[in-house]
Amino acid sequence: MDKKISTGVRIHDIHHGLIQSRGAIVETEFDLLKSLGASIQIATTIKDHEIINDLTPFYAAAGELKIEKPMAKEALSHLEELGFVRLQYHTGKRDIKRIDVLVPETQKIYHDFGEYFISENKSNLSSKAVDILEKLSSFPHKEKEIISDLDIDISEYDQIKDVCKSASLVDTYNSPTDSESILYSPLYWDDNPDKIFDLLKKHQSNELISAISKIKGYQGLPDGKFESDKILTDAIALGCLPTLSVSSTSGLKKFLFTPRTGVGKLEKNLLHKARVLISCVRYGENFAGITKIFSPERLINALLMRGFLKGHSESLMQYEPARNLGLVKIIPTGNRYEVHFIDNNENKLVFKMALEMLAIGDTSKYDNSEELARQILIPGNILHPTQTRTHVLKENSTEKSRSTVNRINDLLRGIE
């Protein structure tokens, strides 16, 4: 994944915990990260709309997303600077009377905010926090490896860990193999990944990072593109990677995806359906006997927006797994088969998730807070719900490290 895009994705991930966090270090070291995260959240919430004339429901919707009014105003300023909204004011520039929404596709949202953060951020703690979450998005790491690989001062690491732990962004446990402290993120893993550590007994962690990055760059990695990679074949054998199969005229083929554990029942169901949809399309891209699919994204968008795919002789077998999950209907037309989208809100979410996986190489966590905000924003007019990176985080209190306590004391005394 492009560095700027991945940075934007992690800012959005971090937002869901950071927006509920307070304290001296959060307000001084993580202030830009916090406001940009709120900006991305607002952008993904309003992106399917053209004009917002009434700011009262807008601020109410932001409030449902834990974004207070002053932060929502600051977020709109960032969005205006990036050209994602055009703001019209009453007299002067105090009260906004209208928002013209110009928010682009998800990939550009993440790219532009990632670029903005990289350019404007002055906090080493914030940048290292993003780097840590990027590493943890692939799999958990030993704390000592995180500190060494990212060249983090131990005092700064303690402060980052304290902030992120209190925001439910990271946690630790002892390795089952050597009892060393393991840092992981509940955003990506809720359970101890024993199978990953079985894999790391045979391979180096940098090999696994490279393998996961390969799949992120091509979700639904097909047969023929991973057999020579020993770590991927071992990961499949151990059950570390989601592997789906599709059969059509070229026989049974496997497709690999990045792991995502620690998800709720609803999200797990949506994610499985999105992977199945991608596998069906990847089959046509890589193994079609007659005409291969040139652009998976364009085809899925066509199926979603137009509602059907023109007749093709291979569609019956190729899209059978998607049909069996209630995503599509397959209708015979002579000796060909048309594929028709089954139009309902859940299937729209699945298609949006699949498109995001293809565009940014990552999956999104889901709960209903985005939809609650949308219902407040534009009551009764939710036509195209958009999958966004929304997480349910636990509230907890953690004991601060000595480094954090000392830093807070310095800040209170005016010492930089």
Side-chain angles (χ1 to χ4, degrees):
M1 194 192 310
D2 179 272
K3 170 67 174 174
K4 294 172 183 175
I5 294 175
S6 66
T7 298
V9 170
R10 298 310 152 219
I11 292 171
H12 199 178
D13 281 343
I14 291 170
H15 156 77
H16 298 288
L18 200 58
I19 196 63
Q20 303 178 59
S21 300
R22 303 290 185 271
I25 294 178
V26 171
E27 301 305 325
T28 55
E29 295 285 350
F30 289 81
D31 54 329
L32 179 63
L33 194 58
K34 190 174 182 178
S35 64
L36 292 186
S39 302
I40 295 174
Q41 182 63 61
I42 287 174
T44 58
T45 301
I46 67 175
K47 71 183 293 291
D48 292 333
H49 309 293
E50 294 181 0
I51 297 172
I52 298 173
N53 285 309
D54 188 350
L55 272 293
T56 298
F58 170 79
Y59 291 125
E64 285 299 307
L65 296 169
K66 310 298 184 187
I67 302 171
E68 297 176 353
K69 188 173 181 178
M71 180 65 73
K73 287 185 173 181
E74 186 175 346
L76 286 174
S77 296
H78 289 308
L79 291 171
E80 185 176 42
E81 186 169 349
L82 289 173
F84 290 178
V85 299
R86 188 165 51 239
L87 304 178
Q88 294 188 25
Y89 294 84
H90 293 289
T91 305
K93 277 207 168 186
R94 177 177 176 81
D95 294 319
I96 302 168
K97 70 176 182 179
R98 175 173 139 169
I99 304 171
D100 294 332
V101 181
L102 308 168
V103 178
E105 73 280 359
T106 303
Q107 187 173 13
K108 183 169 174 57
I109 294 172
Y110 288 137
H111 175 277
D112 287 7
F113 271 102
E115 183 176 56
Y116 187 87
F117 175 77
I118 292 170
S119 171
E120 299 297 323
N121 175 55
K122 302 297 189 295
S123 168
N124 193 49
L125 267 63
S126 281
S127 61
K128 293 298 185 183
V130 171
D131 292 341
I132 289 172
L133 265 293
E134 177 63 28
K135 291 180 77 68
L136 298 183
S137 71
S138 295
F139 61 92
H141 286 69
K142 292 180 178 180
E143 284 196 88
K144 68 178 186 181
E145 290 182 354
I146 289 277
I147 294 168
S148 175
D149 292 348
L150 297 179
D151 192 25
I152 306 176
D153 176 84
I154 190 63
S155 175
E156 291 190 340
Y157 176 76
D158 285 342
Q159 294 172 53
I160 295 168
K161 181 179 172 183
D162 282 344
V163 169
C164 290
K165 198 168 184 178
S166 67
S168 298
L169 297 173
V170 303
D171 209 342
T172 58
Y173 67 94
N174 291 329
S175 168
T177 58
D178 56 18
S179 297
E180 289 200 35
S181 181
I182 304 300
L183 188 71
Y184 75 101
S185 173
L187 300 181
Y188 315 110
W189 302 88
D190 273 346
D191 303 312
N192 295 351
D194 295 341
K195 292 179 180 179
I196 286 291
F197 284 93
D198 288 340
L199 188 65
L200 291 176
K201 291 177 184 176
K202 302 174 63 176
H203 301 276
Q204 297 296 317
S205 60
N206 63 332
E207 294 178 298
L208 182 54
I209 292 172
S210 177
I212 294 294
S213 296
K214 183 177 182 180
I215 302 173
K216 280 185 177 181
Y218 196 98
Q219 291 281 4
L221 191 69
D223 274 332
K225 293 189 177 181
F226 59 77
E227 287 80 0
S228 62
D229 197 325
K230 187 66 167 63
I231 191 168
L232 287 179
T233 55
D234 286 347
I236 294 168
L238 287 170
C240 295
L241 298 176
T243 308
L244 280 72
S245 299
V246 176
S247 182
S248 190
T249 53
S250 296
L252 187 71
K253 302 296 181 182
K254 294 185 178 68
F255 300 87
L256 302 185
F257 295 84
T258 50
R260 173 74 69 172
T261 61
V263 297
K265 290 182 180 179
L266 173 60
E267 182 183 356
K268 186 174 183 179
N269 178 55
L270 295 173
L271 180 56
H272 175 68
K273 288 183 177 182
R275 287 170 174 162
V276 168
L277 177 62
I278 291 174
S279 298
C280 293
V281 177
R282 289 292 194 203
Y283 194 106
E285 181 187 23
N286 291 276
F287 306 110
I290 301 175
T291 52
K292 292 187 176 180
I293 294 170
F294 176 72
S295 171
E297 295 94 331
R298 189 175 301 171
L299 183 138
I300 292 176
N301 257 317
L303 184 53
L304 175 64
M305 304 307 293
R306 188 176 63 194
F308 72 96
L309 301 177
K310 293 179 180 179
H312 195 285
S313 59
E314 297 182 49
S315 293
L316 177 61
M317 294 180 65
Q318 183 180 329
Y319 291 94
E320 183 181 17
R323 182 200 65 189
N324 293 344
L325 290 176
L327 295 172
V328 300
K329 293 184 291 186
I330 302 176
I331 300 175
T333 57
N335 63 346
R336 296 172 179 267
Y337 297 88
E338 291 182 351
V339 179
H340 287 248
F341 173 58
I342 297 176
D343 191 349
N344 59 50
N345 283 343
E346 181 174 303
N347 285 349
K348 287 174 182 175
L349 286 170
V350 169
F351 272 60
K352 293 289 187 180
M353 184 182 286
L355 287 167
E356 187 180 56
M357 291 169 68
L358 292 173
I360 67 173
D362 209 346
T363 59
S364 294
K365 299 185 79 65
Y366 170 79
D367 66 23
N368 66 352
S369 61
E370 173 93 10
E371 294 311 310
L372 293 175
R374 282 170 171 267
Q375 290 172 24
I376 294 173
L377 186 61
I378 303 183
N381 190 31
I382 307 172
L383 300 179
H384 300 288
T386 302
Q387 173 63 37
T388 58
R389 312 186 64 78
T390 307
H391 312 277
V392 179
L393 298 167
K394 66 178 184 294
E395 293 184 4
N396 62 358
S397 58
T398 57
E399 184 177 345
K400 297 180 176 67
S401 68
R402 180 179 294 275
S403 297
T404 296
V405 173
N406 288 340
R407 178 60 176 153
I408 291 172
N409 287 337
D410 288 343
L411 287 167
L412 293 175
R413 290 184 297 140
I415 299 175
E416 293 294 333

